[in-house]
Amino acid sequence: MENVVLIIHLLLALGLILAVLLQRSEGGGLGMGGGGGGRVAGRSAGTAMGKVTWVLAGAFICTSMALTVIAASNSAGVSVLDRLGDAPRREEAPAKEAVPSPVQPADEGDANAPLLPTAE
């Protein structure tokens, strides 16, 4: 059931994005107004695309709430922090003591010896 609602939710999201992007710009926020032609109106007439957008938005909100209810009913009824306290604790092995590796001085005549800084 959750997968079906989730697929419908995703399709509604894509439809809502398309519906918003296909609408004509009326605000002229970027200087690209829809060409009001000099008329000043407080509110534009409800177009078919505007109504489709409202229907898609309402359905999107309904599926969002349905997914929330489904997720809440599937939860165990306890918080994540409560479940962490009930988790079985594993025994940790004692940490090994760090053994320093012996440093061998390089011979001066060895060609493969690393170059070490000398104090002069």
Side-chain angles (χ1 to χ4, degrees), residues 8-41:
I8 293 171
H9 186 72
L10 292 175
L11 291 175
L12 285 171
L14 290 175
L16 189 58
I17 290 170
L18 286 175
V20 169
L21 289 177
L22 289 176
Q23 288 184 15
R24 199 173 94 191
S25 173
E26 295 284 336
L30 296 176
M32 302 180 294
R39 68 184 165 114
V40 178

Side-chain angles (χ1 to χ4, degrees), residues 2 6 19 22 24 27 58 66 74 86 103 105-106 110 113 115:
E2 183 177 4
L6 184 61
L22 289 176
R24 199 173 94 191
N74 289 344
D86 295 339
V103 178
D110 190 7
L115 298 176

Side-chain angles (χ1 to χ4, degrees), residues 8-98:
I8 293 171
H9 186 72
L10 292 175
L11 291 175
L12 285 171
L14 290 175
L16 189 58
I17 290 170
L18 286 175
V20 169
L21 289 177
L22 289 176
Q23 288 184 15
R24 199 173 94 191
S25 173
E26 295 284 336
L30 296 176
M32 302 180 294
R39 68 184 165 114
V40 178
R43 188 171 170 185
S44 63
T47 62
M49 199 57 149
K51 292 177 184 177
V52 167
T53 303
W54 277 105
V55 169
L56 288 174
F60 181 81
I61 291 171
C62 289
T63 57
S64 297
M65 287 190 273
L67 284 172
T68 303
V69 169
I70 292 170
S73 67
N74 289 344
S75 69
V78 294
S79 73
V80 174
L81 295 176
D82 292 340
R83 283 190 268 164
L84 285 178
D86 295 339
R89 298 182 186 208
R90 55 180 184 190
E91 294 292 326
E92 293 185 17
K96 294 182 179 179
E97 293 183 25

